[in-house]
């Protein structure tokens, strides 16, 4: 299959006729379920109608009014679980309008034709905002805050802005040039990026609070959950991001390191069932793995990842072992050779509760493996180290005010995965935009208090 021979985006831009035909399929429901299914509450029926009528520029203006990254969300959102899943046509048993592809097409057309307006605040303000994290939440907040005239500085541990968009999501789902043009627009608009700067190591939160009038914590969650099974020791498995980040660096032209894992010629088993697991299995296929198996303890219907991603992976040769969980890793001469897995079953459904998984007695089986990738999700990092007075939940996420983004520290706000835990990019964008609005209100109120 041609698409697994490289890391280029697999979704080719649709021709104009296809885009207008798809947009014209929208039934313009009295209650737009697609809009309510979108975390950003995008005005989907309106910009679909404009697209169908041939007014792509006005459609773009409407799409970009509610989202700082339409062309990115159009590529990587799990539309089958969000807008397209809620589409009336889909619910009625017909194929949904391909909302994501139209959205991505509008964004690409807007950049190609110069419709994307530069950030030019009507008035520059004296206040400054420091943002920790240059991922989707941080970039969305930076866009809105700079547009409002604030001086904005974004701090990030990596050597490039973009966070998960650059280093976590594979290029076959999101071309890095698509992210870079968003970063370039922010830089050209006056946003300052400080890369290679980790809060807690290179700068403290207290120092950022002294430096800026407000601080937004938008650093995401990157600490991986680890596999606990007999025979699993240091070096026996590879964490998902430790596998994905090097491949993204290769695609970006960085010099190869002998410490970067590679699946070429190996029998790969990926443990997990989310979108990160799908990124890992599909990356392993492209790297030339001998075989790729996804091991997930629940069934297909209860998998947290996008159903569309599962279909893509199956088309590319990935084998799924549903209702299966690792019981032990078996090694020879210090190297893993086999994953012993337990066959699982789901408990009887109980209203309001997720079905439990229990092992099936005597149903263990072995999978040959010389590379095991853990894609079991992520936990918040040690935010407590930033400040003893920063309130955290039991699971380590940052506590914010009910319905808002203010933390327990005056002038410090938090948004995205730092608050939610690992979630979708579109939710990070929504939180970043909403947090920027709250920071704007906070700073304007403070100015009025001083004036009074």
């Amino acid at each position: 299959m041609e698409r697994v021979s490289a890391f280029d985006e697999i979704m080719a831009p649709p021709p104009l006729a296809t885009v207008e035909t798809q947009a014209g399929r929208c039934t313009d429901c009295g209650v737009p379920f697609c809009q309510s299914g979108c975390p950003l509450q995008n005005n989907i029926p309106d910009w679909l109608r404009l697209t169908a009528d041939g007014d792509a520029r006005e459609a773009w203006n409407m799409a970009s009014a509610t989202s700082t990254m339409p062309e990115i969300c159009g590529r990587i959102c799990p539309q089958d679980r969000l807008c397209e899943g809620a589409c009336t046509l889909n619910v009625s048993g017909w194929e949904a309008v391909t909302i994501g592809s139209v959205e991505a097409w509008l964004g690409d057309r807007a950049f190609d034709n110069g419709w994307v307006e530069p950030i030019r605040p009507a008035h520059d303000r004296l206040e400054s905002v420091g943002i920790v994290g240059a991922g989707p939440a941080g970039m969305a907040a930076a866009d809105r805050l700079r547009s409002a005239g604030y001086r904005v500085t974004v701090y990030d541990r990596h050597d490039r802005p973009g966070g998960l968009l650059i280093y976590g999501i594979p290029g076959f789902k999101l071309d890095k040039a698509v992210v870079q043009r968003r970063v370039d627009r922010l830089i050209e608009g006056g946003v300052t990026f400080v890369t290679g700067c980790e809060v807690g190591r290179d700068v403290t939160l207290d120092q950022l609070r002294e430096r800026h009038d407000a601080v937004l914590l938008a650093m995401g969650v990157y600490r991986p959950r680890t596999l606990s099974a007999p025979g699993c020791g240091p070096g026996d498995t590879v964490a998902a991001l430790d596998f994905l980040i090097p491949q993204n660096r290769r695609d970006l032209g960085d010099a190869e390191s002998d410490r970067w894992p590679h699946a070429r010629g190996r029998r790969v088993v990926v443990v997990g069932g989310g979108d990160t697991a799908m990124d890992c299995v599909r990356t392993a296929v492209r790297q030339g793995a001998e075989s790729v198996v996804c091991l997930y303890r629940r069934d297909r219907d209860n998998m947290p990842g996008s159903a569309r991603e599962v279909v893509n992976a199956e088309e590319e040769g990935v084998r799924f072992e549903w209702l299966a969980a690792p019981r032990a890793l078996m090694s020879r001469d210090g190297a893993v050779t086999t994953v012993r897995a337990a066959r699982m079953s789901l408990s009887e459904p109980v209203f309001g509760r997720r079905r439990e998984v229990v092992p099936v007695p005597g149903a263990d089986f072995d999978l040959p493996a010389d590379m095991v990738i853990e894609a079991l999700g992520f936990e918040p990092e040690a935010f407590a180290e930033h400040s003893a007075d920063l309130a955290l939940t039991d699971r380590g996420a940052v506590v914010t005010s009910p319905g808002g983004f203010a933390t327990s520290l005056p002038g410090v706000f938090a948004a995205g995965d730092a608050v939610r835990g690992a979630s979708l990019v579109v939710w990070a964008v929504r939180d970043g935009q909403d947090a920027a609005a709250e920071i704007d209100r906070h700073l304007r109120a403070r100015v009025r208090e001083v004036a009074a």
Side-chain angles (χ1 to χ4, degrees):
M1 184 188 296
E2 182 180 351
R3 79 186 193 201
V4 301
S5 62
F7 282 83
D8 301 328
E9 277 192 9
I10 70 168
M11 300 302 293
L16 174 60
T18 300
V19 171
E20 292 182 346
T21 298
Q22 277 295 322
R25 294 181 62 233
C26 176
T27 59
D28 198 14
C29 310
V31 178
F33 296 113
C34 58
Q35 182 173 350
S36 61
C38 171
L40 287 162
Q41 296 289 289
N42 286 328
N43 301 314
I44 295 169
D46 292 336
W47 53 254
L48 284 175
R49 184 182 65 254
L50 288 165
T51 303
D53 291 343
D55 195 350
R57 182 165 190 170
E58 187 57 33
W60 164 254
N61 290 336
M62 184 163 290
S64 59
T66 53
S67 173
T68 53
M69 303 180 191
E71 72 289 348
I72 292 175
C73 290
R75 283 170 161 84
I76 62 175
C77 273
Q79 286 93 5
D80 55 306
R81 284 159 44 197
L82 300 173
C83 56
E84 293 179 17
C87 174
T88 299
L89 291 177
N90 181 67
V91 175
S92 301
W94 301 85
E95 290 186 359
V97 177
T98 57
I99 297 168
S101 66
V102 176
E103 185 179 29
W105 179 88
L106 282 172
D108 291 343
R109 192 171 179 85
F111 273 99
D112 292 343
N113 288 279
W115 301 342
V116 181
E117 297 290 338
I119 299 175
R120 296 288 184 268
H123 304 284
D124 279 321
R125 300 183 62 87
L126 296 177
E127 301 96 333
S128 72
V129 181
I131 299 175
V132 181
M139 287 176 61
D143 187 304
R144 291 295 172 86
L145 288 165
R146 182 62 196 129
S147 297
Y150 295 99
R151 293 178 292 146
V152 179
T153 302
V154 184
Y155 303 86
D156 196 87
R157 71 181 67 180
H158 292 296
D159 56 346
R160 294 180 178 92
L164 179 73
L165 302 175
I166 284 287
Y167 285 125
I169 298 173
F172 54 80
K173 289 172 59 177
L174 178 62
D175 190 300
K176 303 312 168 189
V178 174
V179 183
Q180 188 59 49
R181 65 191 182 189
R182 277 289 166 191
V183 173
D184 292 342
R185 178 175 175 273
L186 291 173
I187 293 172
E188 291 164 5
V191 174
T192 299
F193 286 93
V194 180
T195 55
C197 179
E198 184 172 349
V199 177
R201 183 192 66 190
D202 304 298
V203 65
T204 66
L205 180 55
D206 287 341
Q207 288 172 330
L208 292 184
R209 295 176 69 193
E210 293 174 1
R211 192 178 301 174
H212 300 286
D213 297 286
V215 174
L216 175 64
L217 303 178
M219 51 276 214
V221 291
Y222 289 92
R223 186 171 64 186
R225 294 173 183 157
T226 57
L227 180 64
S228 178
C232 182
D236 289 329
T237 62
V238 180
L241 285 181
D242 290 344
F243 178 63
L244 295 173
I245 289 174
Q247 183 56 54
N248 280 316
R249 286 192 173 280
R250 292 184 186 99
D251 295 342
L252 289 162
D254 290 357
E256 183 78 25
S257 169
D258 56 9
R259 296 191 302 273
W260 290 354
H262 204 287
R264 185 184 299 112
R266 305 178 77 174
R267 299 165 300 175
V268 178
V269 172
V270 176
V271 183
D275 288 336
T276 300
M278 297 305 96
D279 292 344
C280 289
V281 295
R282 298 179 68 197
T283 295
V285 168
R286 284 162 174 77
Q287 288 185 354
E290 178 182 322
S291 62
V292 181
V293 177
C294 181
L295 199 64
Y296 182 57
R297 62 183 184 148
R298 299 181 186 273
D299 61 7
R300 189 186 193 112
D301 292 338
N302 286 278
M303 190 173 189
S306 166
R308 188 175 298 167
E309 284 290 293
V310 174
V311 171
N312 285 334
E314 288 177 326
E315 290 174 348
E316 293 167 3
V318 176
R319 185 174 118 226
F320 285 83
E321 286 288 350
W322 307 108
L323 291 167
R327 184 180 287 278
L329 301 189
M330 305 171 70
S331 302
R332 179 180 300 156
D333 299 328
V336 173
T337 60
T338 306
V339 174
R340 176 153 294 171
R343 189 62 69 189
M344 314 297 286
S345 65
L346 295 175
S347 64
E348 291 299 316
V350 176
F351 181 76
R353 293 175 55 186
R354 195 177 188 192
R355 296 171 71 178
E356 296 180 357
V357 289
V358 293
V360 177
D364 291 2
F365 63 100
D366 290 343
L367 290 171
D370 45 31
M371 185 176 196
V372 179
I373 301 174
E374 298 173 297
L376 301 170
F378 303 93
E379 299 285 356
E381 298 179 64
F383 294 147
E385 295 179 3
H386 299 324
S387 172
D389 297 323
L390 182 65
L392 304 175
T393 67
D394 292 341
R395 59 189 176 88
V398 181
V399 173
T400 56
S401 58
F405 301 89
T407 72
S408 57
L409 298 175
V412 178
F413 301 79
D417 288 0
V419 177
R420 291 179 177 272
S423 186
L424 301 175
V425 167
V426 66
W427 275 114
V429 174
R430 167 69 184 269
D431 287 353
Q433 294 178 177
D434 289 352
E438 185 171 326
I439 291 170
D440 179 42
R441 292 192 296 271
H442 165 77
L443 292 176
R444 289 178 185 274
R446 199 176 71 170
V447 169
R448 287 195 294 271
E449 288 175 3
V450 172

